[in-house]
Each structure stands twice: as structure tokens, then as C-alpha cells.
Amino acid sequence: MQHTERNKITEQPSHYDHLERMTVSELLQHINHEDRLVAEAVEKALPQIGALVEAIEPRMKRGGRLFYVGAGTSGRLGVLDASELPPTFGISEDWVVGLIAGGDRALRHAVEKAEDDPEQGWRDVMAYGPDADDCVVGIAASGTTPYVVGSVRRAQENGLLTGCITSNPETPLAAAADYPVETIVGPEFVTGSSRMKSGTAQKMVLNMISTALMVRMGRVEGNRMVKMQLTNAKLVDRGTRMLQESLGLTYDEARRRLLDAGSVDRVLKEEQR
């Protein structure tokens, strides 16, 4: 099936019209109604998400990396998820990498035609010297973005595991991926504005992929982020309270031991010796 703008679900007309005539209350209620459909679409994709996570896990345990590749909103969400993992789970910054068409400038500014080059995405991955244990996950609501589709195709050709997240069925992106994830959220509230429901679905799926992987990689104990980096006062306080609850220490003693050791995990290991 050839995907044109007309037959993409993400480009179909909104179920609502004359938005400019609506009150603020009406706008918010209708947006909220559409947002409730996102969780249902993600739930239907859980088997696809699970298959992707289970395929990535053994590769990451062998030292493989995860690359998110996207453009526009999709690229920004991939970079966001990747950038939050080091402080949250204490991993190195090059273990999960977010790549966006147009580079870091595109995080804040639209970079003209950056997403239209089908070879640039793979060139961006190649800068990291990928190997067979690495995985590339392309993110594109449309499922047709050349930068993303090209990177996934080339990654697969070169023996990397590939996955994708898209909001349209039977797309070139899904066809290029070993493990496609399709979250069919339906037309956007503002026609074609995939930063809305599609973007929300992408964020939910990325949360699932990265959190499940980090748990499986041993970066969580019980339900706690015991390996988080102590990069600000809030995280120091959180770690201190974790140690208070786990070891029965006073707040001051827990904080002192945390700062001396550098992580909750190290304090707990010291206690077990």
C-alpha cells in the first residue's frame, strides 16, 4: 500500500471542526477526550512493545547500545527519553543515544529539509561506530519520514536489530523494522498535528521501553532508583530518604553515607558486606 498524505490516518481530518468558535472549556474537554484514546491504542500495542524490549535486552546485556532516531517532535521525544536515563538510572550517556534530524539545533528550532535525506540518519548512527549488538529504533508518527526510514533500513542491512514507533498501519518504516510498534491513535484534534495524540503515544511507549530495559538491566531495586546520579538537591534528598527507610538511619547519617558513597546502591552493598 502506497502511503500518501490522503490515506495516512495521522493526516485525516479531525473529528472536530470550527475549533475557533469553541470556548476554552470546550477545547479542553475535547482534547482531553481524544487524549483518553491514546492509552487504549498503546494497550493494543503491548505485545509489539514487549517483543521489542525482549529482543533488545540480551543485546544490551552484552554491551549493545540503543539508538533512537527521529525528526521533529518524534526526534525530540527520543532525545528526551535518552537524556533522562543517565541521571535516573546511573548509566553512561552513550548507552542510549537520541538522534534527531538536523542535530541539536533541531531540538529548539525547525531545521529546513533536515528530515528529507534518507541517508543522513544512518550517517548519524555511523558516527558512533555501531556493531551487531546495537539496536536502532526509528520514531515517526507518519511512518514515512525519509531520515528515519532510511536509518532503519540501513541498520537492518548492516545486521543491527531494528524497531520503530509509528501511528499509521502498514508503513514503509514498519516494513523496514524487525520489531514495529504501531500505536493507531486516530486523527489528531488539530488536523495533522502529530505533536498531540501521536506524540503522547510515542512518549508512553518510550517510557515503557526504556524503563522496562533499565529494570531488566538491574538498575532498579524493589521499586527504587538505587543507581540514580546525585545531580541535584532533590535527588540527594530522595536517596537519603531511601536509605533512611532501608537501613533505619537518621536523616543526617543517611545523607552523610550517601554523599560519601556516591549512590544508594553503593551504601546498600556496603551494608551487606
Side-chain angles (χ1 to χ4, degrees):
M1 174 177 167
Q2 183 180 3
H3 271 254
T4 64
E5 295 304 304
R6 183 173 298 176
N7 62 32
K8 289 178 187 174
I9 293 175
T10 51
E11 295 295 331
Q12 288 178 358
S14 171
H15 295 310
Y16 307 85
D17 202 357
H18 304 299
L19 305 188
E20 73 280 1
R21 299 179 189 174
M22 294 182 184
T23 65
V24 169
S25 178
E26 289 170 335
L27 288 167
L28 300 183
Q29 287 175 12
H30 293 322
I31 292 171
N32 181 245
H33 172 77
E34 291 299 305
D35 283 346
R36 288 201 295 271
L37 303 177
V38 176
E40 296 175 5
V42 172
E43 182 179 17
K44 291 177 182 177
L46 285 177
Q48 294 180 324
I49 301 167
L52 175 58
V53 170
E54 289 174 353
I56 296 172
E57 179 186 349
R59 289 167 171 80
M60 290 194 79
K61 285 183 174 177
R62 293 194 297 264
R65 295 164 295 177
L66 173 58
F67 293 90
Y68 295 137
V69 181
T73 297
S74 301
R76 294 181 187 103
L77 289 169
V79 171
L80 173 64
D81 193 70
S83 66
E84 290 179 339
L85 301 183
T88 304
F89 298 106
I91 66 171
S92 63
E93 293 184 355
D94 61 353
W95 207 4
V96 180
V97 179
L99 300 174
I100 181 171
D104 286 354
R105 175 175 169 75
L107 293 172
R108 292 181 178 271
H109 306 280
V111 178
E112 187 176 1
K113 298 182 179 179
E115 67 178 51
D116 296 334
D117 185 346
E119 296 299 323
Q120 186 58 51
W122 179 241
R123 285 195 291 266
D124 289 346
V125 174
M126 281 291 290
Y128 289 82
D131 63 35
D133 279 331
D134 293 335
C135 176
V136 171
V137 174
I139 314 167
S142 67
T144 60
T145 307
Y147 176 88
V148 181
V149 176
S151 67
V152 172
R153 280 181 179 156
R154 292 295 301 277
Q156 189 182 65
E157 290 169 2
N158 284 272
L160 277 68
L161 182 77
T162 58
C164 75
I165 306 169
T166 180
S167 296
N168 283 312
E170 301 177 0
T171 62
L173 179 58
D178 300 312
Y179 294 91
V181 174
E182 297 171 317
T183 54
I184 313 304
V185 298
E188 297 288 358
F189 179 70
V190 175
T191 298
S193 182
S194 56
R195 57 178 282 275
M196 301 186 76
K197 288 194 297 181
S198 292
T200 300
Q202 290 169 350
K203 180 68 171 86
M204 292 174 71
V205 173
L206 289 166
N207 281 349
M208 289 179 173
I209 292 171
S210 59
T211 303
L213 284 170
M214 291 298 103
V215 172
R216 299 291 293 175
M217 297 297 293
R219 313 307 291 186
V220 173
E221 185 173 308
N223 57 18
R224 295 170 176 159
M225 301 177 288
V226 294
K227 295 182 182 291
M228 64 184 178
Q229 296 176 0
L230 306 177
T231 54
N232 58 46
K234 177 187 73 175
L235 296 180
V236 171
D237 177 68
R238 181 182 296 162
T240 300
R241 286 184 286 105
M242 285 184 193
L243 291 176
Q244 274 190 284
E245 293 170 10
S246 297
L247 303 178
L249 304 173
T250 65
Y251 184 92
D252 288 345
E253 177 63 11
R255 187 175 189 277
R256 183 191 66 75
R257 291 187 61 178
L258 174 65
L259 294 176
D260 285 346
S263 75
V264 173
D265 182 57
R266 288 175 189 157
V267 177
L268 294 176
K269 286 180 178 177
E270 289 173 358
E271 194 70 17
Q272 293 169 0
R273 289 173 186 167

